Amino acid sequence: MNKNNVILIGAVALAFGVIGAMVGINRQPPAPVTKVAEPTADGSPHGAVGALYAQTMNDAAGAPQSLSKWKGKAMIVNFWAPWCAPCVKEMPELAELATELSKKNVAVIGIGIDSPANIATFSAKVPVTYPLYVAGMSGTDLSRQFGNTAGGLPYTVLIGADGQVRKTYLGQLKFDELRADLAKL
């Protein structure tokens, strides 16, 4: 190879490097993936909702709680973990929303995918206004029943008072979108 070819190859490589850096710098974070769930034909609670209601999970304090107590209420079910930065980042706004929605008979619950000790430690440091439950790694399986095939977090499910899944959200919530969806309940 002669000197001119080496310089040309180096210049092309440098140009691709600069273009790649510019694309990386200007890249926007992906929007959350949302999915509107189809209601079941017979009007009964969606299979995943039925599985949710059948669960008994410990709350953050370690007391067992039957999730069937949420039947008949519209709900926002947020799958999260203390080690998930987007999960933790959305919690203060989700807590504000939970306080606001409690007056409208809409519940917000968090299902933690971590150990009981980690969730208890987290909830002692970061108080929220909605119940936190400990699902451990089985929470990932439950979220998959709601369509979270990637197993990503946070994953949020909007359920109508009729037990129908109205929409799912993968990734950090966009609260304007969630509020618009809540208005349609």
Side-chain angles (χ1 to χ4, degrees):
M1 233 188 235
N2 67 29
K3 186 177 176 182
N4 288 338
N5 286 345
V6 171
I7 292 172
L8 179 62
I9 290 171
V12 169
L14 180 61
F16 277 108
V18 169
I19 290 169
M22 294 302 293
V23 168
I25 289 170
N26 292 318
R27 184 171 185 218
Q28 297 293 320
V33 176
T34 60
K35 177 181 166 190
V36 177
E38 296 298 322
T40 56
D42 65 0
S44 64
H46 189 271
V49 176
L52 175 74
Y53 293 153
Q55 299 283 321
T56 296
M57 295 181 188
N58 287 348
D59 61 20
Q65 302 290 326
S66 173
L67 300 189
S68 64
K69 68 182 169 186
W70 301 110
K71 282 183 184 177
K73 270 195 144 181
M75 296 176 55
I76 297 170
V77 180
N78 180 254
F79 292 90
W80 69 284
W83 43 262
C84 166
C87 300
V88 174
K89 186 174 180 184
E90 73 184 8
M91 287 180 105
E93 194 166 354
L94 194 56
E96 286 178 28
L97 184 62
T99 300
E100 176 187 320
L101 292 174
S102 67
K103 300 168 190 142
K104 298 177 181 179
N105 203 31
V106 178
V108 176
I109 66 170
I111 297 182
I113 299 175
D114 204 337
S115 71
N118 288 345
I119 290 176
T121 300
F122 177 86
S123 67
K125 292 178 186 174
V126 182
V128 294
T129 59
Y130 55 91
L132 298 178
Y133 299 105
V134 180
M137 293 313 292
S138 68
T140 302
D141 294 333
L142 183 58
S143 77
R144 284 192 170 108
Q145 290 181 44
F146 282 103
N148 185 9
T149 56
L153 294 175
Y155 190 73
T156 306
V157 182
L158 179 60
I159 301 171
D162 59 358
Q164 299 298 316
V165 175
R166 301 303 172 92
K167 197 165 184 181
T168 60
Y169 313 80
L170 176 59
Q172 189 172 330
L173 286 168
K174 293 190 180 234
F175 284 89
D176 290 341
E177 177 184 2
L178 178 58
R179 285 179 186 280
D181 294 333
L182 284 163
K184 297 173 190 171
L185 286 182

